[in-house]
Amino acid sequence: MKQYKVGIIGATGMVGQRFATLLENHPWFNVEVLAASPRSAGKTYEEAVGNRWAMKTPMPEAMKNMVMLNATADIEKIAGMVDFCFCAVDMKKDEIKALEEAYAKAECPIVSNNSAHRGTPDVPMVVPEINPEHLEIIESQKKRLGTKKGFIAVKSNCSIQSYVPALHPLMKFGIKNVLACTYQAISGAGKTFETWPEMVDNLIPFIGGEEEKSEQEPLKVWGKIEGDKIVNASTPSITTQCLRVPVSDGHTAAVFVSFENKPSKEEILKLWAGFKGAPQELELPSAPKQFIHYFEEDNRPQANLDRNLEGGMAVSAGRLREDTQYDYKFVCLSHNTLRGAAGGGVLLAELLAAKGYFD
């Protein structure tokens, strides 16, 4: 695979930091640009982050002395230095939409961790193992934007990465209703226990906007391209509750599901064990070898034990059993800043690269 020059827009935040660590020794992607808000511009990465480095691994040596650019004022300059950028900025939704379109119109493809464009009908929102065919909408998006190379592709919300992968191979049985309760780590709010001490020994039963995303985004992932837009699937019916829990990393979901044609437990386990997608077939560098790992033990998966499976890019499942009101219930876990955020973004970029979208 050829080498690509990449930038990280929003490099100082928690997801931006995670992008930095994941890209440090990436075989295809070389970080050439780090950008953030005007207050970081002109400082080195080390100076801009200061004491806010939240990763367990050190800041990459090669990036420490890189001089930060201004994410909003230096668009043309950044576009001329890279093949594409990752975007993980902390701004208002309308500002993010405008910023990402400005980069795309400057012929700089954007792989976004942000939610701003997830509802845009010609912007693909891709879980690489589930709906890689949605990348085909990029041609329609480029026509709308008037670009030759520039486009936006986004990854989905971190919470749906825990349970949608487990549901996807079961869709052929006609999933009717899904109830998912997610128990979400504090890093999903860009926090650590040091910066959010009130989360110790606590649980908050509300995360702004999260339940709407968790109910709607799977329907786009399962949607179809019709003409110049992606049309959401009309089924299954999904209801969710999303809670913030005192866990550093790892979103857990308790899932209840009913089917038109109820499969056996053995059929479900076989489908989970054999579930592969484009990343596994293409042997993308960040792809887990086994996408879904099932634990037979009653007390697994656990965030502390299982979130880092396969570099944090696998999904763990357990406690599959019949239910009295739904057909089945089970528990799933995914690492929210790896599979759910920056790692999912890197995997999406690898898929785009393998399919020639950056060339």
Side-chain angles (χ1 to χ4, degrees):
M1 176 62 67
K2 66 177 273 192
Q3 298 292 298
Y4 294 90
K5 297 175 181 176
V6 308
I8 305 171
I9 304 164
T12 55
M14 185 175 277
V15 176
Q17 293 176 27
R18 180 67 82 183
F19 272 125
T21 62
L22 292 174
L23 295 170
E24 183 177 14
N25 297 304
H26 196 279
W28 301 354
F29 303 150
N30 303 305
V31 176
E32 299 286 332
V33 174
L34 299 172
S37 65
R39 65 179 176 273
S40 296
K43 298 176 182 176
T44 65
Y45 189 38
E46 193 170 32
E47 290 167 345
V49 172
N51 62 3
R52 293 179 294 118
W53 185 256
M55 300 295 105
K56 293 183 174 71
T57 52
M59 180 179 285
E61 282 295 328
M63 298 182 205
K64 280 184 178 177
N65 293 316
M66 289 179 70
V67 176
M68 302 289 297
L69 295 182
N70 185 325
T72 50
D74 293 330
I75 293 172
E76 293 290 341
K77 181 178 180 181
I78 292 167
M81 296 170 68
V82 298
D83 295 305
F84 71 94
C85 282
F86 295 100
C87 189
V89 293
D90 183 12
M91 298 164 67
K92 291 176 181 165
K93 188 170 181 177
D94 287 347
E95 294 172 348
I96 295 172
K97 286 181 90 161
L99 182 73
E100 292 181 343
E101 284 212 357
Y103 273 93
K105 286 177 177 174
E107 301 295 356
C108 177
I110 289 292
V111 178
S112 178
N113 187 74
N114 303 302
S115 65
H117 273 294
R118 288 183 196 151
T120 305
D122 61 6
V123 171
M125 180 177 69
V126 175
V127 180
E129 284 88 350
I130 295 177
N131 61 327
E133 69 281 0
H134 282 193
L135 297 181
E136 293 166 18
I137 201 67
I138 285 171
E139 290 309 313
S140 295
Q141 185 196 141
K142 289 197 288 194
K143 282 181 191 161
R144 173 175 64 85
L145 296 173
T147 59
K148 290 189 175 67
K149 183 185 170 191
F151 63 86
I152 303 158
V154 300
K155 52 152 294 300
S156 68
N157 191 37
C158 52
S159 67
I160 79 165
Q161 307 272 346
S162 56
Y163 60 91
V164 167
L167 292 172
H168 183 69
L170 312 180
M171 292 289 278
K172 66 181 185 179
F173 298 109
I175 296 177
K176 290 193 297 185
N177 298 301
V178 176
L179 163 63
C181 295
T182 61
Y183 304 88
Q184 301 187 202
I186 62 172
S187 56
K191 306 281 191 180
T192 63
F193 287 116
E194 290 73 30
T195 60
W196 203 4
E198 57 266 40
M199 270 310 297
V200 176
D201 190 30
N202 196 15
L203 180 152
I204 299 173
F206 173 72
I207 306 170
E210 203 74 0
E211 286 160 4
E212 294 84 351
K213 292 175 194 171
S214 298
E215 292 170 359
Q216 288 300 313
E217 288 188 17
L219 299 177
K220 182 170 182 180
V221 170
W222 286 323
K224 294 274 189 293
I225 295 175
E226 294 182 13
D228 59 0
K229 59 181 183 284
I230 297 165
V231 176
N232 286 10
S234 56
T235 58
S237 172
I238 304 171
T239 185
T240 65
Q241 286 207 103
C242 301
L243 295 79
R244 189 73 71 194
V245 295
V247 171
S248 59
D249 293 299
H251 288 355
T252 299
V255 186
F256 302 77
V257 57
S258 53
F259 298 92
E260 301 277 358
N261 302 296
K262 182 180 175 182
S264 68
K265 182 177 177 180
E266 291 69 31
E267 284 177 303
I268 294 173
L269 293 176
K270 186 177 179 183
L271 285 166
W272 283 349
F275 183 18
K276 286 181 167 48
Q280 288 73 34
E281 289 156 11
L282 294 167
E283 297 183 346
L284 300 179
S286 299
K289 297 281 188 292
Q290 178 76 31
F291 187 26
I292 300 174
H293 291 246
Y294 185 79
F295 289 92
E296 296 287 351
E297 300 93 327
D298 285 339
N299 64 349
R300 303 283 286 278
Q302 292 180 27
N304 200 21
L305 298 177
D306 305 313
R307 61 192 168 209
N308 289 313
L309 263 176
E310 300 217 38
M313 293 298 288
V315 173
S316 305
R319 302 204 69 210
L320 174 65
R321 59 221 191 275
E322 293 196 16
D323 183 59
T324 55
Q325 296 180 25
Y326 289 74
D327 287 329
Y328 287 99
K329 53 190 170 187
F330 58 88
V331 174
C332 276
L333 165 74
S334 66
H335 195 304
N336 56 296
T337 70
L338 287 168
R339 167 55 75 164
V346 172
L347 186 64
L348 173 54
E350 290 168 1
L351 180 65
L352 286 159
K355 291 186 172 291
Y357 282 94
F358 299 136
D359 299 333

